[in-house]
Amino acid sequence: AQRVTQPEKLLSVFKGAPVELKCNYSYSGSPELFWYVQYSRQRLQLLLRHISRESIKGFTADLNKGETSFHLKKPFAQEEDSAMYYCALSGGSFQKLVFGTGTRLLVSP
Amino acid sequence: DVKVTQSSRYLVKRTGEKVFLECVQDMDHENMFWYRQDPGLGLRLIYFSYDVKMKEKGDIPEGYSVSREKKERFSLILESASTNQTSMYLCATTGAANEKLFFGSGTQLSVL
């Protein structure tokens, strides 16, 4: 069965501090992993996916199959990064995404 | 850009009522999904459809049904609404497996 764990409900940091949002997964096959973000009063949208290996808005995430993790990182947080972040996993050939419970990131000035 | 439209932003219904939530997408995508979003529980998949008249149960289908009569429209039906179905409902679509999901803006349903 597919499972995604985000252990932190809330992560509060100061502007300019490094950020790491944790995501661990459970899946027996080869997973596709994603980070989605929801800014205040906006719809949920894709932030990044591991297969593209690109950096979006300064965020990166590396898939660690040994630790079954896909942590989201940014070296210097900005106030506009404050949002709800969801890690998601897709297994198999069909796009049935399983989401984690989400982490709210609050960046204070 | 893909447009996913959910018919209502806010909806208030009474216990026992039959409730229809509508979702329309304009990109000719085969795959459509209904999630509910609850604080502390994240997004949970209710039903999905990968073609017209096709439907598959997600992780929490109990108390819900769906209809996909046309490619662009995917409806979520609460046969007899209950208070534990008070939630934010999100519709999403994607054109191919493992491509990104495009979400609607959500319907906040309150069942009194």
PDB file of all heavy atoms in Angstrom, chain A residues 32 34 36 38 43-44 46 49 86 90 92-97 99-101, chain B residues 4 31 33 35 37 40 42-43 45 48 50 59 97-101 103-105:
ATOM      1  N   GLU A  32       6.767   7.723  -7.906  1.00  0.00           N
ATOM      2  CA  GLU A  32       6.885   9.086  -8.422  1.00  0.00           C
ATOM      3  C   GLU A  32       6.499   9.996  -7.257  1.00  0.00           C
ATOM      4  O   GLU A  32       5.448   9.801  -6.648  1.00  0.00           O
ATOM      5  CB  GLU A  32       5.906   9.320  -9.575  1.00  0.00           C
ATOM      6  CG  GLU A  32       6.166   8.465 -10.799  1.00  0.00           C
ATOM      7  CD  GLU A  32       7.297   9.006 -11.644  1.00  0.00           C
ATOM      8  OE1 GLU A  32       7.692  10.167 -11.454  1.00  0.00           O
ATOM      9  OE2 GLU A  32       7.789   8.254 -12.499  1.00  0.00           O
ATOM     10  N   PHE A  34       6.063  13.970  -5.491  1.00  0.00           N
ATOM     11  CA  PHE A  34       5.710  15.343  -5.821  1.00  0.00           C
ATOM     12  C   PHE A  34       5.600  16.170  -4.541  1.00  0.00           C
ATOM     13  O   PHE A  34       5.307  15.637  -3.468  1.00  0.00           O
ATOM     14  CB  PHE A  34       4.336  15.404  -6.512  1.00  0.00           C
ATOM     15  CG  PHE A  34       4.185  14.535  -7.727  1.00  0.00           C
ATOM     16  CD1 PHE A  34       3.960  13.175  -7.605  1.00  0.00           C
ATOM     17  CD2 PHE A  34       4.235  15.095  -8.993  1.00  0.00           C
ATOM     18  CE1 PHE A  34       3.810  12.373  -8.728  1.00  0.00           C
ATOM     19  CE2 PHE A  34       4.078  14.305 -10.122  1.00  0.00           C
ATOM     20  CZ  PHE A  34       3.866  12.941  -9.987  1.00  0.00           C
ATOM     21  N   TYR A  36       3.261  19.509  -3.569  1.00  0.00           N
ATOM     22  CA  TYR A  36       2.238  20.474  -3.952  1.00  0.00           C
ATOM     23  C   TYR A  36       2.173  21.562  -2.887  1.00  0.00           C
ATOM     24  O   TYR A  36       2.439  21.312  -1.710  1.00  0.00           O
ATOM     25  CB  TYR A  36       0.868  19.796  -4.078  1.00  0.00           C
ATOM     26  CG  TYR A  36       0.682  19.054  -5.381  1.00  0.00           C
ATOM     27  CD1 TYR A  36       1.228  17.780  -5.563  1.00  0.00           C
ATOM     28  CD2 TYR A  36      -0.025  19.630  -6.435  1.00  0.00           C
ATOM     29  CE1 TYR A  36       1.070  17.107  -6.772  1.00  0.00           C
ATOM     30  CE2 TYR A  36      -0.189  18.968  -7.637  1.00  0.00           C
ATOM     31  CZ  TYR A  36       0.362  17.711  -7.798  1.00  0.00           C
ATOM     32  OH  TYR A  36       0.208  17.046  -8.990  1.00  0.00           O
ATOM     33  N   GLN A  38      -0.134  25.092  -1.398  1.00  0.00           N
ATOM     34  CA  GLN A  38      -1.356  25.891  -1.426  1.00  0.00           C
ATOM     35  C   GLN A  38      -1.116  27.181  -0.663  1.00  0.00           C
ATOM     36  O   GLN A  38      -1.001  27.175   0.568  1.00  0.00           O
ATOM     37  CB  GLN A  38      -2.527  25.116  -0.811  1.00  0.00           C
ATOM     38  CG  GLN A  38      -3.872  25.791  -1.023  1.00  0.00           C
ATOM     39  CD  GLN A  38      -5.025  24.879  -0.677  1.00  0.00           C
ATOM     40  OE1 GLN A  38      -4.929  24.000   0.171  1.00  0.00           O
ATOM     41  NE2 GLN A  38      -6.158  25.070  -1.335  1.00  0.00           N
ATOM     42  N   ARG A  43      -5.574  28.045  -5.211  1.00  0.00           N
ATOM     43  CA  ARG A  43      -5.785  26.620  -5.359  1.00  0.00           C
ATOM     44  C   ARG A  43      -4.473  25.855  -5.236  1.00  0.00           C
ATOM     45  O   ARG A  43      -3.387  26.416  -5.404  1.00  0.00           O
ATOM     46  CB  ARG A  43      -6.488  26.323  -6.685  1.00  0.00           C
ATOM     47  CG  ARG A  43      -5.759  26.741  -7.936  1.00  0.00           C
ATOM     48  CD  ARG A  43      -6.641  26.523  -9.158  1.00  0.00           C
ATOM     49  NE  ARG A  43      -7.803  27.404  -9.182  1.00  0.00           N
ATOM     50  CZ  ARG A  43      -8.844  27.242  -9.987  1.00  0.00           C
ATOM     51  NH1 ARG A  43      -8.888  26.225 -10.826  1.00  0.00           N
ATOM     52  NH2 ARG A  43      -9.861  28.073  -9.975  1.00  0.00           N
ATOM     53  N   LEU A  44      -4.605  24.608  -4.929  1.00  0.00           N
ATOM     54  CA  LEU A  44      -3.452  23.720  -4.799  1.00  0.00           C
ATOM     55  C   LEU A  44      -2.738  23.619  -6.142  1.00  0.00           C
ATOM     56  O   LEU A  44      -3.375  23.488  -7.188  1.00  0.00           O
ATOM     57  CB  LEU A  44      -3.963  22.349  -4.352  1.00  0.00           C
ATOM     58  CG  LEU A  44      -3.011  21.371  -3.708  1.00  0.00           C
ATOM     59  CD1 LEU A  44      -2.440  21.944  -2.428  1.00  0.00           C
ATOM     60  CD2 LEU A  44      -3.744  20.082  -3.405  1.00  0.00           C
ATOM     61  N   LEU A  46       1.153  22.337  -8.255  1.00  0.00           N
ATOM     62  CA  LEU A  46       2.392  21.583  -8.207  1.00  0.00           C
ATOM     63  C   LEU A  46       3.567  22.518  -7.939  1.00  0.00           C
ATOM     64  O   LEU A  46       3.709  23.554  -8.590  1.00  0.00           O
ATOM     65  CB  LEU A  46       2.609  20.848  -9.522  1.00  0.00           C
ATOM     66  CG  LEU A  46       3.896  20.036  -9.623  1.00  0.00           C
ATOM     67  CD1 LEU A  46       3.831  18.828  -8.700  1.00  0.00           C
ATOM     68  CD2 LEU A  46       4.127  19.591 -11.068  1.00  0.00           C
ATOM     69  N   ARG A  49       8.455  18.051  -8.862  1.00  0.00           N
ATOM     70  CA  ARG A  49       8.375  16.604  -8.916  1.00  0.00           C
ATOM     71  C   ARG A  49       9.787  16.060  -9.040  1.00  0.00           C
ATOM     72  O   ARG A  49      10.638  16.693  -9.671  1.00  0.00           O
ATOM     73  CB  ARG A  49       7.499  16.149 -10.080  1.00  0.00           C
ATOM     74  CG  ARG A  49       7.840  16.801 -11.411  1.00  0.00           C
ATOM     75  CD  ARG A  49       6.843  16.476 -12.477  1.00  0.00           C
ATOM     76  NE  ARG A  49       6.819  15.061 -12.784  1.00  0.00           N
ATOM     77  CZ  ARG A  49       6.280  14.546 -13.876  1.00  0.00           C
ATOM     78  NH1 ARG A  49       5.734  15.347 -14.765  1.00  0.00           N
ATOM     79  NH2 ARG A  49       6.270  13.258 -14.084  1.00  0.00           N
ATOM     80  N   TYR A  86       2.154  19.947   0.713  1.00  0.00           N
ATOM     81  CA  TYR A  86       1.769  18.538   0.722  1.00  0.00           C
ATOM     82  C   TYR A  86       2.763  17.723  -0.099  1.00  0.00           C
ATOM     83  O   TYR A  86       3.057  18.061  -1.245  1.00  0.00           O
ATOM     84  CB  TYR A  86       0.382  18.338   0.110  1.00  0.00           C
ATOM     85  CG  TYR A  86      -0.753  18.895   0.913  1.00  0.00           C
ATOM     86  CD1 TYR A  86      -1.271  20.154   0.626  1.00  0.00           C
ATOM     87  CD2 TYR A  86      -1.318  18.172   1.952  1.00  0.00           C
ATOM     88  CE1 TYR A  86      -2.323  20.675   1.354  1.00  0.00           C
ATOM     89  CE2 TYR A  86      -2.385  18.684   2.688  1.00  0.00           C
ATOM     90  CZ  TYR A  86      -2.871  19.933   2.384  1.00  0.00           C
ATOM     91  OH  TYR A  86      -3.914  20.439   3.108  1.00  0.00           O
ATOM     92  N   SER A  90       2.876   8.788  -6.196  1.00  0.00           N
ATOM     93  CA  SER A  90       2.121   8.050  -7.205  1.00  0.00           C
ATOM     94  C   SER A  90       2.847   6.749  -7.504  1.00  0.00           C
ATOM     95  O   SER A  90       4.035   6.757  -7.828  1.00  0.00           O
ATOM     96  CB  SER A  90       1.993   8.877  -8.475  1.00  0.00           C
ATOM     97  OG  SER A  90       1.403   8.121  -9.507  1.00  0.00           O
ATOM     98  N   GLY A  92       2.677   2.982  -9.619  1.00  0.00           N
ATOM     99  CA  GLY A  92       2.022   2.291 -10.717  1.00  0.00           C
ATOM    100  C   GLY A  92       1.852   3.174 -11.927  1.00  0.00           C
ATOM    101  O   GLY A  92       2.306   4.306 -11.976  1.00  0.00           O
ATOM    102  N   SER A  93       1.156   2.660 -12.896  1.00  0.00           N
ATOM    103  CA  SER A  93       1.046   3.343 -14.173  1.00  0.00           C
ATOM    104  C   SER A  93      -0.047   4.396 -14.203  1.00  0.00           C
ATOM    105  O   SER A  93      -0.108   5.210 -15.103  1.00  0.00           O
ATOM    106  CB  SER A  93       0.774   2.334 -15.283  1.00  0.00           C
ATOM    107  OG  SER A  93      -0.448   1.662 -15.013  1.00  0.00           O
ATOM    108  N   PHE A  94      -0.882   4.401 -13.222  1.00  0.00           N
ATOM    109  CA  PHE A  94      -1.963   5.374 -13.240  1.00  0.00           C
ATOM    110  C   PHE A  94      -1.753   6.424 -12.165  1.00  0.00           C
ATOM    111  O   PHE A  94      -1.311   6.147 -11.077  1.00  0.00           O
ATOM    112  CB  PHE A  94      -3.321   4.694 -13.037  1.00  0.00           C
ATOM    113  CG  PHE A  94      -4.443   5.659 -13.164  1.00  0.00           C
ATOM    114  CD1 PHE A  94      -4.805   6.156 -14.401  1.00  0.00           C
ATOM    115  CD2 PHE A  94      -5.115   6.129 -12.048  1.00  0.00           C
ATOM    116  CE1 PHE A  94      -5.812   7.089 -14.534  1.00  0.00           C
ATOM    117  CE2 PHE A  94      -6.124   7.059 -12.174  1.00  0.00           C
ATOM    118  CZ  PHE A  94      -6.473   7.530 -13.408  1.00  0.00           C
ATOM    119  N   GLN A  95      -2.102   7.628 -12.521  1.00  0.00           N
ATOM    120  CA  GLN A  95      -1.851   8.758 -11.637  1.00  0.00           C
ATOM    121  C   GLN A  95      -2.842   8.803 -10.487  1.00  0.00           C
ATOM    122  O   GLN A  95      -3.722   9.646 -10.451  1.00  0.00           O
ATOM    123  CB  GLN A  95      -1.913  10.063 -12.459  1.00  0.00           C
ATOM    124  CG  GLN A  95      -1.803  11.350 -11.656  1.00  0.00           C
ATOM    125  CD  GLN A  95      -0.421  11.641 -11.177  1.00  0.00           C
ATOM    126  OE1 GLN A  95       0.338  10.734 -10.917  1.00  0.00           O
ATOM    127  NE2 GLN A  95      -0.073  12.894 -11.040  1.00  0.00           N
ATOM    128  N   LYS A  96      -2.731   7.875  -9.555  1.00  0.00           N
ATOM    129  CA  LYS A  96      -3.546   7.953  -8.358  1.00  0.00           C
ATOM    130  C   LYS A  96      -2.632   8.476  -7.265  1.00  0.00           C
ATOM    131  O   LYS A  96      -1.812   7.754  -6.708  1.00  0.00           O
ATOM    132  CB  LYS A  96      -4.071   6.565  -7.981  1.00  0.00           C
ATOM    133  CG  LYS A  96      -4.873   6.553  -6.706  1.00  0.00           C
ATOM    134  CD  LYS A  96      -5.214   5.119  -6.308  1.00  0.00           C
ATOM    135  CE  LYS A  96      -5.702   5.066  -4.882  1.00  0.00           C
ATOM    136  NZ  LYS A  96      -5.982   3.695  -4.440  1.00  0.00           N
ATOM    137  N   LEU A  97      -2.736   9.751  -6.990  1.00  0.00           N
ATOM    138  CA  LEU A  97      -1.860  10.380  -6.022  1.00  0.00           C
ATOM    139  C   LEU A  97      -2.346  10.163  -4.604  1.00  0.00           C
ATOM    140  O   LEU A  97      -3.523  10.378  -4.306  1.00  0.00           O
ATOM    141  CB  LEU A  97      -1.791  11.882  -6.279  1.00  0.00           C
ATOM    142  CG  LEU A  97      -0.684  12.424  -7.188  1.00  0.00           C
ATOM    143  CD1 LEU A  97      -0.684  13.938  -7.140  1.00  0.00           C
ATOM    144  CD2 LEU A  97       0.663  11.888  -6.795  1.00  0.00           C
ATOM    145  N   PHE A  99      -1.677  11.606  -0.849  1.00  0.00           N
ATOM    146  CA  PHE A  99      -1.095  12.783  -0.218  1.00  0.00           C
ATOM    147  C   PHE A  99      -0.777  12.537   1.251  1.00  0.00           C
ATOM    148  O   PHE A  99      -1.427  11.729   1.922  1.00  0.00           O
ATOM    149  CB  PHE A  99      -2.077  13.959  -0.306  1.00  0.00           C
ATOM    150  CG  PHE A  99      -2.183  14.571  -1.674  1.00  0.00           C
ATOM    151  CD1 PHE A  99      -2.990  14.001  -2.645  1.00  0.00           C
ATOM    152  CD2 PHE A  99      -1.482  15.719  -1.984  1.00  0.00           C
ATOM    153  CE1 PHE A  99      -3.088  14.559  -3.913  1.00  0.00           C
ATOM    154  CE2 PHE A  99      -1.572  16.297  -3.248  1.00  0.00           C
ATOM    155  CZ  PHE A  99      -2.375  15.709  -4.212  1.00  0.00           C
ATOM    156  N   GLY A 100       0.198  13.278   1.729  1.00  0.00           N
ATOM    157  CA  GLY A 100       0.455  13.329   3.160  1.00  0.00           C
ATOM    158  C   GLY A 100      -0.521  14.268   3.835  1.00  0.00           C
ATOM    159  O   GLY A 100      -1.396  14.865   3.184  1.00  0.00           O
ATOM    160  N   THR A 101      -0.377  14.420   5.133  1.00  0.00           N
ATOM    161  CA  THR A 101      -1.314  15.245   5.900  1.00  0.00           C
ATOM    162  C   THR A 101      -0.991  16.736   5.833  1.00  0.00           C
ATOM    163  O   THR A 101      -1.765  17.554   6.292  1.00  0.00           O
ATOM    164  CB  THR A 101      -1.340  14.810   7.373  1.00  0.00           C
ATOM    165  OG1 THR A 101      -0.002  14.745   7.856  1.00  0.00           O
ATOM    166  CG2 THR A 101      -1.991  13.443   7.519  1.00  0.00           C
TER     167      THR A 101
ATOM    168  N   VAL B   4     -10.123  24.345 -14.322  1.00  0.00           N
ATOM    169  CA  VAL B   4     -10.949  23.382 -13.614  1.00  0.00           C
ATOM    170  C   VAL B   4     -11.925  24.187 -12.774  1.00  0.00           C
ATOM    171  O   VAL B   4     -11.504  24.910 -11.856  1.00  0.00           O
ATOM    172  CB  VAL B   4     -10.108  22.451 -12.722  1.00  0.00           C
ATOM    173  CG1 VAL B   4     -11.000  21.415 -12.066  1.00  0.00           C
ATOM    174  CG2 VAL B   4      -9.012  21.779 -13.546  1.00  0.00           C
ATOM    175  N   ASN B  31      -8.506  11.941 -17.220  1.00  0.00           N
ATOM    176  CA  ASN B  31      -8.499  11.566 -15.808  1.00  0.00           C
ATOM    177  C   ASN B  31      -9.028  12.685 -14.922  1.00  0.00           C
ATOM    178  O   ASN B  31      -8.567  13.823 -14.991  1.00  0.00           O
ATOM    179  CB  ASN B  31      -7.071  11.244 -15.371  1.00  0.00           C
ATOM    180  CG  ASN B  31      -6.407  10.266 -16.317  1.00  0.00           C
ATOM    181  OD1 ASN B  31      -6.974   9.224 -16.628  1.00  0.00           O
ATOM    182  ND2 ASN B  31      -5.223  10.611 -16.801  1.00  0.00           N
ATOM    183  N   PHE B  33     -10.578  13.509 -10.732  1.00  0.00           N
ATOM    184  CA  PHE B  33     -10.488  13.025  -9.357  1.00  0.00           C
ATOM    185  C   PHE B  33     -11.330  13.899  -8.427  1.00  0.00           C
ATOM    186  O   PHE B  33     -11.469  15.098  -8.651  1.00  0.00           O
ATOM    187  CB  PHE B  33      -9.030  13.104  -8.852  1.00  0.00           C
ATOM    188  CG  PHE B  33      -8.036  12.410  -9.719  1.00  0.00           C
ATOM    189  CD1 PHE B  33      -7.557  13.015 -10.871  1.00  0.00           C
ATOM    190  CD2 PHE B  33      -7.575  11.147  -9.398  1.00  0.00           C
ATOM    191  CE1 PHE B  33      -6.630  12.381 -11.682  1.00  0.00           C
ATOM    192  CE2 PHE B  33      -6.653  10.506 -10.201  1.00  0.00           C
ATOM    193  CZ  PHE B  33      -6.178  11.118 -11.340  1.00  0.00           C
ATOM    194  N   TYR B  35     -11.210  14.727  -4.303  1.00  0.00           N
ATOM    195  CA  TYR B  35     -10.557  14.598  -3.009  1.00  0.00           C
ATOM    196  C   TYR B  35     -11.369  15.390  -1.994  1.00  0.00           C
ATOM    197  O   TYR B  35     -12.042  16.364  -2.326  1.00  0.00           O
ATOM    198  CB  TYR B  35      -9.151  15.200  -3.033  1.00  0.00           C
ATOM    199  CG  TYR B  35      -8.105  14.413  -3.784  1.00  0.00           C
ATOM    200  CD1 TYR B  35      -7.892  14.622  -5.139  1.00  0.00           C
ATOM    201  CD2 TYR B  35      -7.315  13.479  -3.126  1.00  0.00           C
ATOM    202  CE1 TYR B  35      -6.911  13.910  -5.831  1.00  0.00           C
ATOM    203  CE2 TYR B  35      -6.335  12.762  -3.806  1.00  0.00           C
ATOM    204  CZ  TYR B  35      -6.140  12.988  -5.154  1.00  0.00           C
ATOM    205  OH  TYR B  35      -5.167  12.285  -5.827  1.00  0.00           O
ATOM    206  N   GLN B  37     -10.468  17.531   1.619  1.00  0.00           N
ATOM    207  CA  GLN B  37      -9.330  18.100   2.328  1.00  0.00           C
ATOM    208  C   GLN B  37      -9.771  18.480   3.730  1.00  0.00           C
ATOM    209  O   GLN B  37     -10.667  19.319   3.903  1.00  0.00           O
ATOM    210  CB  GLN B  37      -8.824  19.333   1.575  1.00  0.00           C
ATOM    211  CG  GLN B  37      -7.598  19.991   2.175  1.00  0.00           C
ATOM    212  CD  GLN B  37      -7.180  21.249   1.395  1.00  0.00           C
ATOM    213  OE1 GLN B  37      -8.008  21.932   0.800  1.00  0.00           O
ATOM    214  NE2 GLN B  37      -5.897  21.542   1.377  1.00  0.00           N
ATOM    215  N   GLY B  40      -5.344  18.353   9.307  1.00  0.00           N
ATOM    216  CA  GLY B  40      -4.730  17.238  10.014  1.00  0.00           C
ATOM    217  C   GLY B  40      -4.834  15.905   9.302  1.00  0.00           C
ATOM    218  O   GLY B  40      -4.169  14.937   9.692  1.00  0.00           O
ATOM    219  N   GLY B  42      -5.052  15.917   5.657  1.00  0.00           N
ATOM    220  CA  GLY B  42      -4.553  16.108   4.299  1.00  0.00           C
ATOM    221  C   GLY B  42      -5.629  15.887   3.254  1.00  0.00           C
ATOM    222  O   GLY B  42      -6.820  16.106   3.509  1.00  0.00           O
ATOM    223  N   LEU B  43      -5.216  15.461   2.080  1.00  0.00           N
ATOM    224  CA  LEU B  43      -6.148  15.171   0.993  1.00  0.00           C
ATOM    225  C   LEU B  43      -6.363  13.666   0.915  1.00  0.00           C
ATOM    226  O   LEU B  43      -5.405  12.888   0.904  1.00  0.00           O
ATOM    227  CB  LEU B  43      -5.588  15.646  -0.349  1.00  0.00           C
ATOM    228  CG  LEU B  43      -5.815  17.096  -0.723  1.00  0.00           C
ATOM    229  CD1 LEU B  43      -4.925  18.019   0.077  1.00  0.00           C
ATOM    230  CD2 LEU B  43      -5.592  17.300  -2.219  1.00  0.00           C
ATOM    231  N   LEU B  45      -8.441  10.647  -1.307  1.00  0.00           N
ATOM    232  CA  LEU B  45      -9.099  10.397  -2.576  1.00  0.00           C
ATOM    233  C   LEU B  45     -10.431   9.687  -2.362  1.00  0.00           C
ATOM    234  O   LEU B  45     -10.496   8.633  -1.720  1.00  0.00           O
ATOM    235  CB  LEU B  45      -8.178   9.552  -3.467  1.00  0.00           C
ATOM    236  CG  LEU B  45      -8.689   9.222  -4.859  1.00  0.00           C
ATOM    237  CD1 LEU B  45      -8.886  10.499  -5.681  1.00  0.00           C
ATOM    238  CD2 LEU B  45      -7.711   8.291  -5.562  1.00  0.00           C
ATOM    239  N   PHE B  48     -12.188   8.383  -8.524  1.00  0.00           N
ATOM    240  CA  PHE B  48     -11.564   8.934  -9.711  1.00  0.00           C
ATOM    241  C   PHE B  48     -12.130   8.246 -10.954  1.00  0.00           C
ATOM    242  O   PHE B  48     -12.788   7.201 -10.868  1.00  0.00           O
ATOM    243  CB  PHE B  48     -10.038   8.849  -9.653  1.00  0.00           C
ATOM    244  CG  PHE B  48      -9.461   7.456  -9.562  1.00  0.00           C
ATOM    245  CD1 PHE B  48      -8.937   6.843 -10.685  1.00  0.00           C
ATOM    246  CD2 PHE B  48      -9.403   6.796  -8.342  1.00  0.00           C
ATOM    247  CE1 PHE B  48      -8.368   5.578 -10.602  1.00  0.00           C
ATOM    248  CE2 PHE B  48      -8.847   5.533  -8.255  1.00  0.00           C
ATOM    249  CZ  PHE B  48      -8.335   4.918  -9.376  1.00  0.00           C
ATOM    250  N   TYR B  50     -11.088   7.550 -15.215  1.00  0.00           N
ATOM    251  CA  TYR B  50     -10.091   7.679 -16.274  1.00  0.00           C
ATOM    252  C   TYR B  50     -10.718   7.669 -17.669  1.00  0.00           C
ATOM    253  O   TYR B  50     -10.023   7.604 -18.681  1.00  0.00           O
ATOM    254  CB  TYR B  50      -9.005   6.609 -16.148  1.00  0.00           C
ATOM    255  CG  TYR B  50      -9.533   5.211 -16.002  1.00  0.00           C
ATOM    256  CD1 TYR B  50      -9.834   4.439 -17.123  1.00  0.00           C
ATOM    257  CD2 TYR B  50      -9.723   4.653 -14.738  1.00  0.00           C
ATOM    258  CE1 TYR B  50     -10.317   3.158 -16.986  1.00  0.00           C
ATOM    259  CE2 TYR B  50     -10.208   3.372 -14.594  1.00  0.00           C
ATOM    260  CZ  TYR B  50     -10.506   2.627 -15.715  1.00  0.00           C
ATOM    261  OH  TYR B  50     -10.992   1.357 -15.577  1.00  0.00           O
ATOM    262  N   ASP B  59      -9.836   5.984  -1.686  1.00  0.00           N
ATOM    263  CA  ASP B  59      -9.579   5.460  -0.351  1.00  0.00           C
ATOM    264  C   ASP B  59     -10.758   5.613   0.608  1.00  0.00           C
ATOM    265  O   ASP B  59     -10.861   4.880   1.585  1.00  0.00           O
ATOM    266  CB  ASP B  59      -8.342   6.160   0.236  1.00  0.00           C
ATOM    267  CG  ASP B  59      -7.113   5.912  -0.610  1.00  0.00           C
ATOM    268  OD1 ASP B  59      -6.901   4.755  -1.023  1.00  0.00           O
ATOM    269  OD2 ASP B  59      -6.366   6.877  -0.894  1.00  0.00           O
ATOM    270  N   ALA B  97      -0.795   9.707 -17.062  1.00  0.00           N
ATOM    271  CA  ALA B  97      -0.284   9.128 -15.816  1.00  0.00           C
ATOM    272  C   ALA B  97       0.998   9.833 -15.393  1.00  0.00           C
ATOM    273  O   ALA B  97       1.856  10.128 -16.209  1.00  0.00           O
ATOM    274  CB  ALA B  97      -0.005   7.642 -16.020  1.00  0.00           C
ATOM    275  N   ASN B  98       1.063  10.129 -14.119  1.00  0.00           N
ATOM    276  CA  ASN B  98       2.246  10.732 -13.507  1.00  0.00           C
ATOM    277  C   ASN B  98       2.566  12.131 -14.001  1.00  0.00           C
ATOM    278  O   ASN B  98       3.667  12.635 -13.802  1.00  0.00           O
ATOM    279  CB  ASN B  98       3.468   9.823 -13.651  1.00  0.00           C
ATOM    280  CG  ASN B  98       3.289   8.538 -12.870  1.00  0.00           C
ATOM    281  OD1 ASN B  98       2.691   8.549 -11.801  1.00  0.00           O
ATOM    282  ND2 ASN B  98       3.759   7.453 -13.412  1.00  0.00           N
ATOM    283  N   GLU B  99       1.618  12.765 -14.642  1.00  0.00           N
ATOM    284  CA  GLU B  99       1.737  14.199 -14.920  1.00  0.00           C
ATOM    285  C   GLU B  99       1.067  14.965 -13.789  1.00  0.00           C
ATOM    286  O   GLU B  99       0.338  14.403 -12.980  1.00  0.00           O
ATOM    287  CB  GLU B  99       1.091  14.533 -16.258  1.00  0.00           C
ATOM    288  CG  GLU B  99       1.831  13.977 -17.450  1.00  0.00           C
ATOM    289  CD  GLU B  99       3.242  14.536 -17.550  1.00  0.00           C
ATOM    290  OE1 GLU B  99       3.415  15.762 -17.402  1.00  0.00           O
ATOM    291  OE2 GLU B  99       4.179  13.733 -17.758  1.00  0.00           O
ATOM    292  N   LYS B 100       1.314  16.253 -13.734  1.00  0.00           N
ATOM    293  CA  LYS B 100       0.812  17.004 -12.600  1.00  0.00           C
ATOM    294  C   LYS B 100      -0.697  17.114 -12.617  1.00  0.00           C
ATOM    295  O   LYS B 100      -1.329  17.098 -13.672  1.00  0.00           O
ATOM    296  CB  LYS B 100       1.435  18.395 -12.558  1.00  0.00           C
ATOM    297  CG  LYS B 100       0.972  19.349 -13.639  1.00  0.00           C
ATOM    298  CD  LYS B 100       1.608  20.714 -13.403  1.00  0.00           C
ATOM    299  CE  LYS B 100       1.144  21.734 -14.419  1.00  0.00           C
ATOM    300  NZ  LYS B 100       1.758  23.058 -14.165  1.00  0.00           N
ATOM    301  N   LEU B 101      -1.271  17.216 -11.420  1.00  0.00           N
ATOM    302  CA  LEU B 101      -2.696  17.429 -11.275  1.00  0.00           C
ATOM    303  C   LEU B 101      -2.992  18.924 -11.326  1.00  0.00           C
ATOM    304  O   LEU B 101      -2.259  19.727 -10.762  1.00  0.00           O
ATOM    305  CB  LEU B 101      -3.183  16.881  -9.932  1.00  0.00           C
ATOM    306  CG  LEU B 101      -3.272  15.366  -9.749  1.00  0.00           C
ATOM    307  CD1 LEU B 101      -3.819  15.065  -8.374  1.00  0.00           C
ATOM    308  CD2 LEU B 101      -4.130  14.735 -10.811  1.00  0.00           C
ATOM    309  N   PHE B 103      -5.901  21.477 -10.099  1.00  0.00           N
ATOM    310  CA  PHE B 103      -6.988  21.470  -9.127  1.00  0.00           C
ATOM    311  C   PHE B 103      -7.975  22.594  -9.371  1.00  0.00           C
ATOM    312  O   PHE B 103      -7.618  23.676  -9.848  1.00  0.00           O
ATOM    313  CB  PHE B 103      -6.419  21.627  -7.711  1.00  0.00           C
ATOM    314  CG  PHE B 103      -5.822  20.374  -7.156  1.00  0.00           C
ATOM    315  CD1 PHE B 103      -4.501  20.055  -7.381  1.00  0.00           C
ATOM    316  CD2 PHE B 103      -6.599  19.502  -6.401  1.00  0.00           C
ATOM    317  CE1 PHE B 103      -3.943  18.890  -6.872  1.00  0.00           C
ATOM    318  CE2 PHE B 103      -6.055  18.331  -5.889  1.00  0.00           C
ATOM    319  CZ  PHE B 103      -4.735  18.026  -6.119  1.00  0.00           C
ATOM    320  N   GLY B 104      -9.221  22.334  -8.973  1.00  0.00           N
ATOM    321  CA  GLY B 104     -10.206  23.393  -8.893  1.00  0.00           C
ATOM    322  C   GLY B 104      -9.997  24.188  -7.613  1.00  0.00           C
ATOM    323  O   GLY B 104      -9.150  23.847  -6.781  1.00  0.00           O
ATOM    324  N   SER B 105     -10.780  25.236  -7.449  1.00  0.00           N
ATOM    325  CA  SER B 105     -10.620  26.104  -6.284  1.00  0.00           C
ATOM    326  C   SER B 105     -11.324  25.564  -5.042  1.00  0.00           C
ATOM    327  O   SER B 105     -11.145  26.099  -3.958  1.00  0.00           O
ATOM    328  CB  SER B 105     -11.130  27.511  -6.598  1.00  0.00           C
ATOM    329  OG  SER B 105     -12.454  27.446  -7.068  1.00  0.00           O
TER     330      SER B 105
END
